[in-house]
Amino acid sequence: MLTLSQECQYHPDVGYVDHVVIAVPDLDAAARCWRDTAGISFQRGGRHPGGTENALAVFAGQDLYLELITVCDPASADPFTQLAGARQGPLTWAAGTDDVDRGIARLAGAGVPAGPARAGRRRCPDGSEVTWRSAIAGPPGTTAWPFLIEWPARGAARLGVAPTVAGLRVTGLTVAVPDPAAAAGVLAGALGFTRAGPDSLVVADGAVTVTLASSGEDRPGPVALTLSGQRRGSFALDGLAVSIEPERVAI
């Protein structure tokens, strides 16, 4: 399969898998389960003004991270907070971009409504603050499309959390969508992912392969995560199918 080089992942026109959002009722309990079952450690990230708080699993050497999120203000009218309270398990995923406004325009050109861009912030446990810009893609209330996120910098430092996972690397994400062919075309044409072929439902950002599967009657969003490391295992964690495969060594 043709993929972009690691260097090309950072070109301004190329989107990438930034993170996967998983809603849970209890951050500490969920983090313990991920650590004990799959060896993936989370660290508290802090609180969002909209009424949620999170814990992050940051993979050493990767921009991609996992976000466990829970509602800390049930009375909040924030739409995402309400979604996180109503729907447990994998919610959505973020496509990173160096220019969220350009991404909004390109999605609109592909017939996918997006935006407006909004400033986001999170207060970290140590009192510091991290910021970003993001935009929802698709009709209101849907998670069939990734949302766009633009950070002021790259790497773990942008998150206010040091890497928490070493020895594992995320290589694949499977996302259920109503129309996989349309999603593959938009991710490649508007957001800069590359495709395995003109009829393929697989796109990649140079580091992570994204497989588009039909959601059928089920809800759309992330359904499976593939990692590579020094061991093997398959787990069901908060509604996400997680598999770890042995790291391939070039000879």
Side-chain angles (χ1 to χ4, degrees), residues 31-40 235:
R32 281 195 301 270
C33 187
W34 280 79
R35 181 198 62 205
D36 296 345
T37 304
I40 296 174
F235 322 97

Side-chain angles (χ1 to χ4, degrees), residues 28-85:
D28 292 334
R32 281 195 301 270
C33 187
W34 280 79
R35 181 198 62 205
D36 296 345
T37 304
I40 296 174
S41 296
F42 285 79
Q43 179 176 327
R44 285 295 187 115
R47 293 196 171 196
H48 306 99
T52 56
E53 57 184 329
N54 66 11
L56 310 179
V58 182
F59 294 82
Q62 281 193 288
D63 275 328
L64 186 150
Y65 65 97
L66 305 180
E67 179 182 20
L68 300 177
I69 192 165
T70 196
V71 175
C72 57
D73 180 8
S76 172
D78 180 82
F80 189 80
T81 300
Q82 293 181 337
L83 178 65

Side-chain angles (χ1 to χ4, degrees), residues 95-230:
T97 175
D98 288 340
D99 187 338
V100 73
D101 297 302
R102 183 196 61 230
I104 291 170
R106 290 185 174 178
L107 284 173
V112 178
R118 299 185 184 279
R121 59 188 174 90
R122 169 169 49 82
R123 180 69 63 179
C124 301
D126 65 2
S128 63
E129 188 175 76
V130 296
T131 62
W132 61 87
R133 299 176 71 228
S134 64
I136 301 298
T142 182
T143 55
W145 298 98
F147 68 92
L148 303 181
I149 190 164
E150 173 193 335
W151 297 93
R154 301 295 286 271
R158 77 192 192 282
L159 304 173
V161 173
T164 62
V165 185
L168 289 174
R169 181 170 59 88
V170 178
T171 58
L173 174 67
T174 300
V175 183
V177 295
D179 189 337
V186 170
L187 289 172
L191 298 184
F193 288 76
T194 191
R195 297 179 73 162
D199 300 318
S200 175
L201 303 181
V202 177
V203 298
D205 69 359
V208 180
T209 297
V210 182
T211 302
L212 288 307
S214 176
S215 58
E217 298 299 320
D218 298 325
R219 64 186 188 185
V223 294
L225 195 69
T226 304
L227 305 94
S228 63
Q230 299 303 310

